[in-house]
Amino acid sequence: MNQQAAITSAAQRAIAALFPSDRISADLPDRIAYSRDLWPRTLIGLREGQHRPFEPDTVVWPVSLDELRALIEVSIEHRFALIPFGGGSGVCGGAVAQNGGVIVDLKRLDQITQLCDVNLLADVQAGIIGQTLEDQLNVRGLTLGHFPSSIRCSTLGGWLATRSAGQCSSRYGKIEDMVDSVGFIDGTARYRRVDRANNRQQLEAIIGSEGVFGFITDATMRLAHLPQTRMFLAYRVPSVERGCEALRRILQAGLRPAVLRLYDELDTLLSSPAGDRSPSALSRATHALTHGGAGKALQNRLLSTALRKAGNLSRIGANLADRLRRGCLMIVGVEGDRALAEAEAAYCHEQIICCEGDRLDDEIGISWFENRYGVSFKMSPLFMANAFVDTMEVAAPWHKLMRVYRDVHQALSADALVLAHFSHAYTDGCSIYFTFVSRGSDRTGAQALYDRLWQSALAAADTAGAAVSHHHGIGLAKAEFMKAEHGHGMTTLRALKTVFDPHGIMNPGKLGL
Amino acid sequence: MNQQAAITSAAQRAIAALFPSDRISADLPDRIAYSRDLWPRTLIGLREGQHRPFEPDTVVWPVSLDELRALIEVSIEHRFALIPFGGGSGVCGGAVAQNGGVIVDLKRLDQITQLCDVNLLADVQAGIIGQTLEDQLNVRGLTLGHFPSSIRCSTLGGWLATRSAGQCSSRYGKIEDMVDSVGFIDGTARYRRVDRANNRQQLEAIIGSEGVFGFITDATMRLAHLPQTRMFLAYRVPSVERGCEALRRILQAGLRPAVLRLYDELDTLLSSPAGDRSPSALSRATHALTHGGAGKALQNRLLSTALRKAGNLSRIGANLADRLRRGCLMIVGVEGDRALAEAEAAYCHEQIICCEGDRLDDEIGISWFENRYGVSFKMSPLFMANAFVDTMEVAAPWHKLMRVYRDVHQALSADALVLAHFSHAYTDGCSIYFTFVSRGSDRTGAQALYDRLWQSALAAADTAGAAVSHHHGIGLAKAEFMKAEHGHGMTTLRALKTVFDPHGIMNPGKLGL
């Protein structure tokens, strides 16, 4: 328990006066449930006996802006922290009560309040779960175009607060490109409507602010029509270098296919669709990538070996890589008007072939699409097996990308099994999404190892010229690194903090503030 | 002369010590030359005897960041204003010395210091003239993709400071979409490098800040390859309503053709390529749009009538419109990979035909392309003829667009001839670019009329739900409207001002600060 500044009983009474009893709780089970998000560090801690790492004093579930404003006023009067909470799927500790305070779960604010098919805009409350929003749009023939793998357990507000990126970001952009305006209640209880057209500077200050300035309560989002056509292509390229070359060529030619993903050798092996429930063509293609038929069995052996023998992971990974037929899986997805999508696919094909790619069966791409959200739900078995897994997304310009890839890989792989994919590419650079699996040598050593891995990986990323976050945000996990990276730029954030949250009640400790 | 706060002679000596004599001037011709930009209000004033509307004390031409920093330090010590000056082509009075001070002409900082064809990035100093930059990129097979009509008389720094938009914005974005990082010296003489990837909030605060926070000294810009193919299509649509419907359909289908322009009836008439020097097919097509052959002669008559008879402009315009064959010109330009460009053109064609468009000869589009920068150089004859012309660019969501068009048109047309085109479209809305021509009833009445026209037009735009600027910026011209539009949002700008320019030396009075 890090709790230092407990709420006074006078404050508790003032909060209790604002909410009916079924929308406020100071019960222990709720305080435990809301004492973490999906930051793996706290999940490791849970195993090590830290059941309430960031215990809040109270949890509330507001249903209106009036309730939020009233809560802020009480918070100012009694000086306690308010922590906006969406789906709780963040992996950086951005939605936890570092020193007590009130968790404000916004999931009851979950309505699409207006939908305009002339402007292709939807007014949406911030607490809506992503998949719920997408489902409701789909029945109208529309889509937001935002598909993070957490879509079933994250909210619109969380996406906006962290500058989220989805799996179709090449075509639809990141979440900040989709937002037309936000409704925002700052730390003085003032509601403002902030527009892209009228007030871009303020909009960009609020997006990505992780709750440190106030509550994003709703947003007007740009939509798209559901695509007429959707096609997937799959390739094997000989190396990440050649695959990245293909990504770069496609982006720099001005194309924006919906999906562009490149997996490194090990991620190719572990992410390949399981052979046992797939049609034979897919199965054959998968096996062609994964050592002539070992497929699922090899995946399982690799993981179980990784779990048994921490400390030797680097050697295990290297041995396995040697035993694998070399090659990296690349998925291309195009969508929209059929003729345009086909022209786009043809152009991508040509570039990938130029980079020594071999076309695989399209069903590999289709299978990727069908299982595209699986990754967010694969963590628990590893944690239960006493290991841990985390992901780290950095970004770098093309000419530094391979150095970042190698250096971060090396920094991690002494003590972890490391895989990576490249899934958000731009004309001038690309992000790298590392996944690393490890475990401490004993029951209590895992958290220390975890910290060491992050320290050395982020230091390697920084030295190699990468930005330390692409779309997971900063939270507590990267706060110190952000300060180092931003340097004097933190003064800007602090000045904005003074304007929006002069009393310092909003989500203290996050973003390095 | 609005000058109130002249520079002390001690300050003058301190500035003079920083620059060699050929890069500093307090001579009267220079003070006159730099006492205005292209804000039409000051051009009208010139005719009315206001030769030095915003007279600076001194003009300097720095060649290095060290000189800029030293100048800022002197400015802080002696408390005088610094006004960043690029090409001087701004139309809102953003680059003038409202109350004396030093004009800092940055055009000697005009080098491409690095060009990386792996990342497609160029490091460019802020004072480079747009066309010079584009020419230097073109010889390397590259382009910035930014083509404002002022490209021959505006600078990169000016573009960034005003969130400029070019004629191919649908494909390449506005200038803010092309910038990877900026080099910036704030009002405390501190240089910072501000990145999109690391520090988006600060980057977005600096872009569009019109010099009130400091000097944009250089920028790393995203480039594109010169297109393999470029094609133009031209159409006549029956009305702006139907034309806007076509624009909306194209954008909302996810397309981004490089050029999409729709001219209203009168702008169609006046902007149509001249018949006298064009091949016959073009000539015939132009005439089909403009009253069966009257073409150029009609343009001339319209303008000369407009100039002779102020006060009756509304009736003249209406009469002429009646006499014209109704119809609006629409230009579509696609570029890039040939197969993709052709598919894109085919899709656009289909949508425009659905909106009752008739295909015209392609040469109309080609002719538009050849004369695309002409508009910025057509103002002088009108001013010499005792009239004035100005442009006003607003933006609105699609469902409010026709109301904005009609209301602003009506607000202006009692006292001006009004034309408009639609040239920057988005999925959720579009900008309208009004041009209005008028003159006062006597030699001294024009400026008062000009002010009245702006007042009523901006009020109409605001009431109808438009944003009062799309890409010309705010400067002095729209400062009061911006305050009204922003409301409490101005506190954010003021907080940033305190961080970046605590001494208040940077371009005072602009952006409402």
Side-chain angles (χ1 to χ4, degrees), chain B residues 52-75:
Chain B
R52 298 179 252 173
F54 300 110
E55 186 181 346
D57 294 279
T58 297
V59 183
V60 297
W61 292 266
V63 295
S64 71
L65 303 197
D66 283 345
E67 282 183 352
L68 267 179
R69 276 195 296 258
L71 177 64
I72 291 168
E73 278 158 13
V74 169
S75 158

Side-chain angles (χ1 to χ4, degrees), chain A residues 59-94:
Chain A
V59 182
V60 297
W61 292 266
V63 296
S64 71
L65 304 198
D66 284 345
E67 282 183 352
L68 267 179
R69 273 194 298 258
L71 178 63
I72 292 168
E73 278 158 15
V74 168
S75 158
I76 293 169
E77 189 187 339
H78 293 272
R79 301 282 152 162
F80 56 84
L82 298 176
I83 299 95
F85 194 97
S89 69
V91 290
C92 298

